[in-house]
Amino acid sequence: MNTNESRGYVLNGSTVVPLGSSAVPPPRSHDPKRVRRRLRLRFLGFLLAPVLIGGLIFIATALFSPSSRDVEILPGAAAISIDEQDVALVVYADDSRPGIGEPMFQTRAAVIRLSDGATLWDRRLNEELGSEAAALAGDSSLVYVATDEGLAILDATTGAIRAEGHGIDGIGADAVFSASAYGYDVETNAVVALTGTGAVVQIPVGALAASPAEASVARRWQGTLSASAFLDTAALTRLVDTATATDGTTVGIETVAEAVSRDALVITSPDGALIRRTELVDAEIIPLTGAQTRLGVMLPTGQFLEGDFSDIDQDDIEALLEAASAQASAGGALSSPAGFASGYVLVQHRESVNAERMLLSSVSVATGELVDTVEMGADAMRAIAGPSGTTAVIAADPDAWQPDTLRVLDADGSLRRIEVGSVPWWVISFG
């Protein structure tokens, strides 16, 4: 037996160590303080373990789970040119990015290149629930957005706010905090604003400072701009039964069988000759409408009536048609059909008499055939067109109940989908 490897043995309750072996260390004394410390640490670990595990699960879920979208595109969108490319300047409400440090409710503005759907920038405007906003105008240097916190002037390249609210030269403390107090004057290519003194000022597109509006501009906008808390976008959202292209071609909806909502899309040349006739169900034409809001009402005939019709019941068709006839004789303009410049007509309709779902279709002017059809979860809001002619429709995905996407009409007639408010995981997680 190798005694150097022996651990000893017990004899009559005592440990006997063989000769040459090292002594067995005495038993460790139990220090009460150490025991209590170990117990406290174990208890603390027991309490913290669920918190740490839950925190890790929360972080992993935020990082690796796809973000849900709860986006509503507001009617006041615009198509402008930045660096000679058509882009959509979109304002939207977003309730789906409550990341770390992010408010639950947001009103945002985004610039989206229509050629490939790339979002050039996406900027939070305010954090108010139900806030109104409208894209007014822009160029390659600045874009202008009306909000319920005043006018916001943003850098066209980065989205950084260059001036807003009381900080705009020429408006200052007289800024009105209402989106309906601002507009875009096409004739002068200037943003117009109603001040707290009741005066109208204008800001040339590309400039940061306001100056008193020209007399003709002030007359044109006096009575349209207001400090109302509600932005009237009724003229932007109405679909029509008749639209006229710039060359005089007329696109109209004729009733085929009213009992089953069967209609015909009829395209007529300027001289009155029939070009194409396509039968659809419950069809309406999507017109091109500018971003600027105007005082008036859009009729199903495609005619916009300038003026205050608040004292006329919208169901009083005779009164409205009488006003429309008077305005038409004075040269009132009709709506233009969206997509016509590209050789198509954009139409909203149903799939069949018994179907409830709503469809958006591009109809070829040359053949009368439906080139592309996509399903929508709600009525199309409106169509916008850029300076180069690119047309986009504000629409809803099939599973959405409010407008949340753009449908861009490509040269081949297809309706390409662009997602608005797409948020990368690192943005939704860290704000």
Side-chain angles (χ1 to χ4, degrees):
M1 176 181 180
N2 186 348
T3 57
N4 291 327
E5 298 179 358
S6 174
R7 297 288 183 181
Y9 55 91
V10 178
L11 179 63
N12 296 328
S14 300
T15 302
V16 179
V17 180
L19 185 64
S21 300
S22 58
V24 176
R28 298 172 59 184
S29 60
H30 295 283
D31 186 349
K33 293 183 178 179
R34 291 184 177 179
V35 172
R36 285 195 294 272
R37 188 181 301 116
R38 286 197 298 269
L39 289 175
R40 283 197 296 268
L41 291 175
R42 289 175 182 174
F43 183 71
L44 185 61
F46 177 77
L47 289 179
L48 291 179
V51 177
L52 293 174
I53 294 173
L56 290 174
I57 293 175
F58 172 80
I59 293 174
T61 302
L63 291 178
F64 300 110
S65 295
S67 59
S68 59
R69 294 174 66 243
D70 187 7
V71 169
E72 179 184 4
I73 301 177
L74 303 179
I80 61 176
S81 178
I82 294 180
D83 295 332
E84 299 183 350
Q85 297 185 86
D86 285 350
V87 301
L89 175 56
V90 179
V91 286
Y92 67 98
D94 191 348
D95 302 337
S96 61
R97 57 171 85 206
I100 299 173
E102 285 282 337
M104 177 66 72
F105 304 108
Q106 300 185 28
T107 301
R108 304 183 67 89
V111 164
I112 302 172
R113 191 165 54 216
L114 294 179
S115 61
D116 58 5
T119 299
L120 304 184
W121 53 261
D122 193 324
R123 173 86 184 192
R124 185 173 71 216
L125 297 174
N126 59 55
E127 305 166 12
E128 299 297 325
L129 176 63
S131 177
E132 299 280 6
L136 300 177
D139 60 12
S140 295
S141 60
L142 299 172
V143 296
Y144 302 80
V145 179
T147 77
D148 284 344
E149 295 184 357
L151 179 66
I153 306 177
L154 302 92
D155 188 282
T157 304
T158 65
I161 294 180
R162 299 283 297 276
E164 64 177 334
H166 290 155
I168 298 177
D169 291 341
I171 300 179
D174 288 332
V176 176
F177 285 1
S178 171
S180 58
Y182 305 89
Y184 172 62
D185 190 72
V186 178
E187 294 186 24
T188 58
N189 190 31
V191 172
V192 291
L194 178 69
T195 68
T197 63
V200 176
V201 297
Q202 65 184 63
I203 306 173
V205 172
L208 290 169
S211 59
E214 301 170 8
S216 60
V217 175
R219 285 194 301 269
R220 196 156 48 239
W221 287 92
Q222 203 75 46
T224 299
L225 304 177
S226 73
S228 169
F230 301 101
L231 181 66
D232 182 12
T233 56
L236 302 178
T237 58
R238 190 68 58 85
L239 305 178
V240 299
D241 293 335
T242 305
T244 303
T246 54
D247 66 354
T249 301
T250 300
V251 181
I253 300 295
E254 293 183 0
T255 300
V256 175
E258 185 175 1
V260 290
S261 301
R262 183 163 291 280
D263 301 315
L265 175 70
V266 180
I267 304 175
T268 308
S269 65
D271 60 1
L274 176 65
I275 298 177
R276 294 286 177 261
R277 181 184 177 91
T278 305
E279 288 202 7
L280 299 166
V281 175
D282 200 11
E284 292 178 283
I285 301 166
I286 300 177
L288 279 178
T289 50
Q292 66 274 15
T293 56
R294 296 168 292 172
L295 190 64
V297 61
M298 178 80 82
L299 298 179
T301 58
Q303 187 173 1
F304 180 79
L305 303 184
E306 297 276 3
D308 185 3
F309 292 90
S310 58
D311 58 341
I312 298 179
D313 189 342
Q314 296 295 307
D315 294 330
D316 190 351
I317 302 299
E318 290 186 5
L320 290 174
L321 289 180
E322 183 178 343
S325 176
Q327 186 167 300
S329 62
L334 297 177
S335 298
S336 177
F340 190 86
S342 301
Y344 304 94
V345 176
L346 296 181
V347 184
Q348 173 180 295
H349 60 102
R350 286 190 289 132
E351 184 178 27
S352 66
V353 173
N354 298 316
E356 292 296 329
R357 66 175 186 168
M358 199 62 66
L359 304 177
L360 172 66
S361 293
S362 57
V363 180
S364 171
V365 175
T367 66
E369 297 178 351
L370 275 65
V371 179
D372 193 15
T373 298
V374 296
E375 182 182 354
M376 300 184 295
D379 287 349
M381 178 172 285
R382 55 182 285 249
I384 55 178
S388 299
T390 308
T391 302
V393 178
I394 302 174
D397 276 338
D399 57 350
W401 58 277
Q402 57 194 8
D404 62 349
T405 57
L406 296 177
R407 288 286 180 173
V408 177
L409 176 65
D410 285 330
D412 61 356
S414 60
L415 295 164
R416 174 166 45 90
R417 178 182 180 273
I418 294 180
E419 185 176 90
V420 173
S422 177
V423 185
W425 61 264
W426 59 85
V427 173
I428 197 170
S429 302
F430 300 108

